Amino acid sequence: MSISTVFKRAALAATVAVSTLSLQAMAGEDGKCNTNMAINYLVPPKVTPQLVEQLRTAYSAQEVRIERPGEAHTKEFNPFRLRLLVNEDNFLNTQICG
């Protein structure tokens, strides 16, 4: 394994840990997804059940919907839902409330 691969993996792990842990203090209220949140990643993470739960907790959302390219979804706004938009390879593109 090359030094650059090790560095990239370490940077990704540190970014995810710091982003998730530092945002818990800014939690929303009453189970509504916190629209004031903005978590940005240096390297987009692969969406795993652990990451989904970390983001749900950080955004204080009651539910999470993962949206993949080509899938159909309803357009109604749900203030209690976090939407995770992923690419074809299951890497996180963006996260938004609603």
Side-chain angles (χ1 to χ4, degrees):
M1 189 176 332
S2 71
I3 284 289
S4 71
T5 302
V6 171
F7 178 73
K8 287 178 187 177
R9 288 183 180 177
L12 175 61
T15 302
V16 170
V18 169
S19 296
T20 303
L21 295 175
S22 65
L23 296 172
Q24 304 240 347
M26 300 171 57
E29 55 189 57
D30 299 330
K32 286 187 179 178
C33 186
N34 188 351
T35 58
N36 296 323
M37 297 294 294
I39 301 175
N40 297 310
Y41 296 97
L42 185 60
V43 178
K46 190 154 185 105
V47 175
T48 63
Q50 294 82 11
L51 179 65
V52 170
E53 182 58 24
Q54 288 175 348
L55 290 172
R56 187 196 64 74
T57 302
Y59 278 85
S60 298
Q62 287 183 358
E63 60 184 83
V64 177
R65 180 168 74 188
I66 300 173
E67 300 180 15
R68 294 176 174 81
E71 291 182 348
H73 298 282
T74 59
K75 300 241 181 197
E76 88 283 352
F77 180 79
N78 181 346
F80 301 98
R81 178 176 55 213
L82 174 64
R83 296 171 53 209
L84 302 179
L85 284 63
V86 301
N87 65 13
E88 298 84 15
D89 298 322
N90 208 35
F91 284 94
L92 184 64
N93 283 338
T94 190
Q95 60 271 0
I96 51 178
C97 292

